[in-house]
């Protein structure tokens, strides 16, 4: 992520205790497998998730966090990946959970993946935005980052921001809930969703290509550990150790905003704020749609 490159090398490789940034050198120190296929494994800095007709698989961070940067390099299932979903997301627990999603929807051979993003606050989601990739996500590893601070959530691919969800919790009149009161784990998974994932479920999974494998490496969780309700104020304060609250992360730079607009103009295929069916069904769009998005 471009903004993070300004941090010194010494700052990136340290471990800061007492409710501040945690950086572990290896994926095996950050993540643990928690369900699924026996062929899935974590070895050092690498994670392999496998899906066949018996089961998909998933991994999660060992800790909960509130605010910071969550990133990994991912190489997606090649060839015919119809019906498959590879997910990289943050989530708390319970029916009123918060969640920030990167989901990558597979497709038939030579057809592009769909980059699906969403955010849930207090259990309420339906804030989808979708993009076509401007690269082949199966040919090599690319960096995917979720940056979450008290001002906004930003989704990045290879240091390029593609989406922003701003905090309008205290805005006059058009208030919008924001995820800032629950700790979240980082999760990743590979699973079958052939009923809806590819062209609305019209294209099903071709199991003759199984087992399917998605590869991950270099999980980096530069974030504030969740230690209960006290973490809400501790991790959102303007402390020098809370680097995510510094002014440079309060909003995108001019160059980042230009890149974001280019990506959205060229590669966005769905935006819930521009969906006329949403407005017809409920009468109004969600309140954040009437505010500046980035």
């Amino acid at each position: 992520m471009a903004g993070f490159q300004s941090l010194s090398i010494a700052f990136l490789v340290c471990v800061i205790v007492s409710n501040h940034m945690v950086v572990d050198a290896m994926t095996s120190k950050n993540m643990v497998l928690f369900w699924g296929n026996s062929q899935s494994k974590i070895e050092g800095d690498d994670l392999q998730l496998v899906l066949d007709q018996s089961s998909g698989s998933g991994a999660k961070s060992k800790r909960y966090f509130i605010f910071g940067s969550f990133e990994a390099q991912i190489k997606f299932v090649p060839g015919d990946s119809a019906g498959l979903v590879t997910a990289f997301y943050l989530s708390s627990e319970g029916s009123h959970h918060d969640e920030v999603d990167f989901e990558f929807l597979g497709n038939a051979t030579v057809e592009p993946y769909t980059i699906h993003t969403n955010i849930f606050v207090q259990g309420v989601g339906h804030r989808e935005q979708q993009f076509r990739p401007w690269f082949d996500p199966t040919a090599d590893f690319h960096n995917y980052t979720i940056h979450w601070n008290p001002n906004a959530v930003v989704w990045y691919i290879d240091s390029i921001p593609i989406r922003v969800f701003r905090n309008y919790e205290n805005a006059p009149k058009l208030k919008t809930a924001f995820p800032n009161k629950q700790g979240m784990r980082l999760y990743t998974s590979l699973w079958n969703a052939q009923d809806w994932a590819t062209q609305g479920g019209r294209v099903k999974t071709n199991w003759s290509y199984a087992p399917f494998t998605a590869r991950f490496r270099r999980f980096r969780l530069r974030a504030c550990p969740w230690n209960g309700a006290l973490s809400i104020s501790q991790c959102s304060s303007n402390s020098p150790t809370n680097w995510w609250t510094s002014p440079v992360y309060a909003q995108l730079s001019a160059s980042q905003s230009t890149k974001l607009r280019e990506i959205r103009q060229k590669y966005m295929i769905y935006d819930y704020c521009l969906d006329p069916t949403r407005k017809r069904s409920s009468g109004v769009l969600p309140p954040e749609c009437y505010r500046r998005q980035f």
Side-chain angles (χ1 to χ4, degrees), residues 77-194:
V77 175
D80 190 339
S81 57
L84 310 187
V85 175
T86 306
F88 176 77
Y89 63 103
L90 301 173
S91 183
S92 60
E93 296 182 349
S95 59
H96 292 84
H97 74 296
D98 295 340
E99 183 173 328
V100 181
D101 294 336
F102 254 133
E103 291 185 311
F104 306 90
L105 315 184
N107 215 327
T109 304
V110 310
E111 295 295 326
Y113 267 73
T114 296
I115 302 167
H116 179 96
T117 67
N118 199 2
I119 186 165
F120 291 75
V121 185
Q122 294 292 312
V124 178
H126 303 297
R127 296 180 170 99
E128 302 90 348
Q129 292 182 358
Q130 293 184 338
F131 307 80
R132 292 293 189 213
W134 52 98
F135 54 91
D136 181 355
T138 72
D140 202 353
F141 288 91
H142 291 265
N143 182 282
Y144 302 87
T145 299
I146 297 171
H147 183 71
W148 171 35
N149 68 25
N151 296 300
V153 176
V154 187
W155 292 252
Y156 290 83
I157 299 178
D158 291 335
S159 302
I160 299 172
I162 67 167
R163 179 178 180 180
V164 178
F165 184 83
R166 297 174 66 87
N167 184 355
Y168 287 120
E169 187 175 57
N170 297 316
K173 296 182 180 179
L174 298 175
K175 295 183 179 180
T176 299
F178 187 79
N180 56 12
K181 298 177 178 65
Q182 299 186 70
M184 295 195 277
R185 287 185 193 264
L186 177 65
Y187 292 86
T188 189
S189 59
L190 175 62
W191 53 289
N192 180 252
Q194 64 178 349

Side-chain angles (χ1 to χ4, degrees), residues 49-82:
L49 295 182
V50 178
L51 166 70
D52 60 22
Q53 284 183 285
S54 67
S55 178
S57 51
K60 64 182 179 181
S61 62
K62 295 178 179 180
R63 297 197 66 164
Y64 289 87
F65 300 89
I66 182 167
F67 305 133
S69 168
F70 307 83
E71 63 180 281
Q73 295 181 2
I74 310 174
K75 185 177 181 180
F76 295 98
V77 175
D80 190 339
S81 57

